[in-house]
Amino acid sequence: MNLDHYIEELKTLVNVDCGTQTLEGVARVADIIESLWQREGWHTEQVNLGDNVGPGVFVSNKPQAEQFDVLLVGHLDTVFPAGTVACRPMRQDATRLYGPGVSDMKSGLLNILWAMRGLDAKDKERLAIAVAMNPDEETGSVWSHEWIGELAKRSRCVLVCEAARADGSLVKSRKGMAGYHLTFSGVAAHAGNEPEKGRSAITALARSILAINALADLDKGTTLNVGVIHGGSAANVVAESAIAELDVRFWENDEYDRVHHALNALCEKGFFEGVTTSLTRVNHKPAMAASEATQALMKQVEAAGREEGIPITWQAVGGGSDANHTAALGIPTLDGLGPVGAGFHSPTEWLDIASIEPRIRLLRRVISMR
Ligand SMILES: [Zn+2]
């Protein structure tokens, strides 16, 4: 393959500020990737997912197919704010590429394109292949997971092309996650003159954190993290309001049910007399576990790896992706079918140049074995 050509195309995707909230940037990336697919003669369409996010992009060789042999999934957005590209555009050294979203996951999007560019004409004729690229994965796919879910239900399997791990491993399971906001409403009062008339939302918040932490079960990998707190207005005022933002992670969906019910019960009861607590779930991704059907798919990927001379290893990882949603629908789903990278969501994010070509071959082989 022409690696320089690949890197040129990658640069056009990386050097656009396209954090989930930068809607025009996400739309720009959608336009770029759509036109690359159009040049290959594939059917493409942009999908309106509402005014809060950029467009999705759907690509297929057989858009009218009742069932797709494979659904390939990637996301157009990054976590980086506007201005990031000006500070650190894509750059390269002898072995790695760097830049915002270079491995999470602009190169994954491009690997799908390159894998299909080299697909045997007979396979392209025989198989029904769909690609879904969503604009809001980094904020939990709130506006796109139903769209991807509907496509997944029409598909025999789902391959999410997030980057492979730094050691080359693919991803067979992912923790589930849920985000909550806790809002505490107390009674304001002068802290010197009449503190007894106040009910401190901050006191309630402080107590809640200890109760929330106690819901963790480290043996099972269930963790709760209050990562953000806000509250109060001045040191001499009993705080009227406070907010806590909570992140919950779990390997088992039963564990999540336990935590969800316990949180609701705790908040209903309240943490401090006179302060009410309201609990809002802001996002939720079920845990992705390797079902029997998924294990069969793993065997196929391992066979494809043997044919391509690429050793296949697997990891279970704590971060969520769109794979969580499609796996929860019962569709065999694997992840990490992009090139190798690490440092996601940070300025050190990198992509291993030597992994680009073999991982394109691997993805193409997995698809042609369907
Ligand atoms: Zn990603």
Side-chain angles (χ1 to χ4, degrees):
M1 70 174 275
N2 183 337
L3 199 58
D4 291 338
H5 180 197
Y6 180 102
I7 291 172
E8 269 315 302
E9 287 184 347
L10 184 60
K11 194 187 282 180
T12 66
L13 295 170
V14 171
N15 287 347
V16 180
D17 282 318
C18 55
T20 318
Q21 321 297 347
T22 308
L23 303 193
E24 67 280 8
V26 175
R28 175 91 191 101
V29 173
D31 286 343
I32 295 169
I33 197 82
E34 184 184 27
S35 73
L36 290 173
W37 278 100
Q38 281 171 345
R39 260 180 258 161
E40 304 300 319
W42 287 59
H43 167 88
T44 71
E45 53 192 272
Q46 293 204 10
V47 180
N48 185 343
L49 297 166
D51 295 339
N52 296 301
V53 290
V57 179
F58 173 74
V59 174
S60 181
N61 61 336
K62 294 183 185 170
Q64 308 306 334
E66 255 174 53
Q67 195 178 37
F68 298 114
D69 293 291
V70 59
L71 173 66
L72 302 160
V73 173
H75 60 85
L76 303 161
D77 59 326
T78 70
V79 296
F80 299 106
T84 304
V85 169
C87 295
R88 45 183 191 88
M90 194 172 102
R91 67 185 177 84
Q92 135 177 40
D93 62 22
T95 58
R96 291 177 173 180
L97 291 159
Y98 306 86
V102 70
S103 55
D104 181 15
M105 60 169 285
K106 296 301 161 41
S107 54
L109 298 179
L110 210 49
N111 271 32
I112 299 173
L113 175 75
W114 280 69
M116 294 303 90
R117 266 180 179 153
L119 189 68
D120 190 272
K122 276 190 216 128
D123 286 334
K124 190 175 170 188
E125 181 53 39
R126 178 174 62 85
L127 297 168
I129 299 162
V131 187
M133 292 170 270
N134 59 341
D136 62 339
E137 193 273 345
E138 296 293 4
T139 52
S141 302
V142 173
W143 301 93
S144 63
H145 78 262
E146 278 181 32
W147 169 57
I148 289 182
E150 287 308 311
L151 290 170
K153 286 184 211 162
R154 278 170 68 188
S155 304
R156 290 169 58 205
C157 70
V158 176
L159 302 176
V160 180
C161 297
E162 296 269 13
R165 306 286 106 176
D167 69 353
S169 292
L170 282 71
V171 178
K172 63 175 178 177
S173 55
R174 287 182 177 275
K175 274 190 173 180
M177 56 171 291
Y180 293 89
H181 289 176
L182 288 85
T183 306
F184 302 87
S185 303
V187 180
H190 191 295
N193 291 334
E194 40 187 19
E196 72 284 356
K197 292 194 174 160
R199 302 304 299 167
S200 170
I202 287 179
T203 300
L205 178 147
R207 291 185 176 181
S208 80
I209 293 171
L210 300 178
I212 287 168
N213 287 350
L215 295 177
D217 184 337
L218 297 183
D219 291 339
K220 290 188 168 161
T222 306
T223 58
L224 295 93
N225 178 57
V226 176
V228 178
I229 57 170
H230 301 285
S233 54
N236 62 358
V237 179
V238 175
E240 185 174 19
S241 68
I243 293 177
E245 297 184 21
L246 168 65
D247 177 281
V248 183
R249 304 277 168 152
F250 46 91
W251 288 117
E252 299 166 25
N253 291 319
D254 287 353
E255 270 292 282
Y256 172 62
D257 290 342
R258 173 184 70 78
V259 168
H260 181 71
H261 288 119
L263 283 172
N264 274 293
L266 282 171
C267 292
E268 203 164 302
K269 184 158 167 263
F271 299 92
F272 186 47
E273 208 195 318
V275 178
T276 60
T277 310
S278 76
L279 179 71
T280 310
R281 190 172 79 177
V282 292
N283 57 50
H284 170 234
K285 276 182 181 171
M288 168 194 173
S291 68
E292 231 163 82
T294 298
Q295 288 171 27
L297 187 58
M298 288 165 67
K299 292 271 176 284
Q300 290 174 21
V301 172
E302 288 162 13
R306 278 194 296 276
E307 293 199 27
E308 294 293 341
I310 300 165
I312 303 295
T313 55
W314 302 96
Q315 270 191 33
V317 302
S321 86
D322 285 312
N324 296 59
H325 291 302
T326 60
L329 294 170
I331 317 300
T333 300
L334 291 172
D335 198 350
L337 283 119
V340 174
F344 316 132
H345 300 190
S346 86
T348 62
E349 179 180 3
W350 56 266
L351 169 67
D352 174 33
I353 296 172
S355 74
I356 293 170
E357 187 271 340
R359 295 299 163 134
I360 290 170
R361 274 193 288 118
L362 176 67
L363 181 58
R364 184 185 301 134
R365 176 73 67 176
V366 171
I367 292 167
S368 68
M369 284 168 73
R370 299 302 303 158

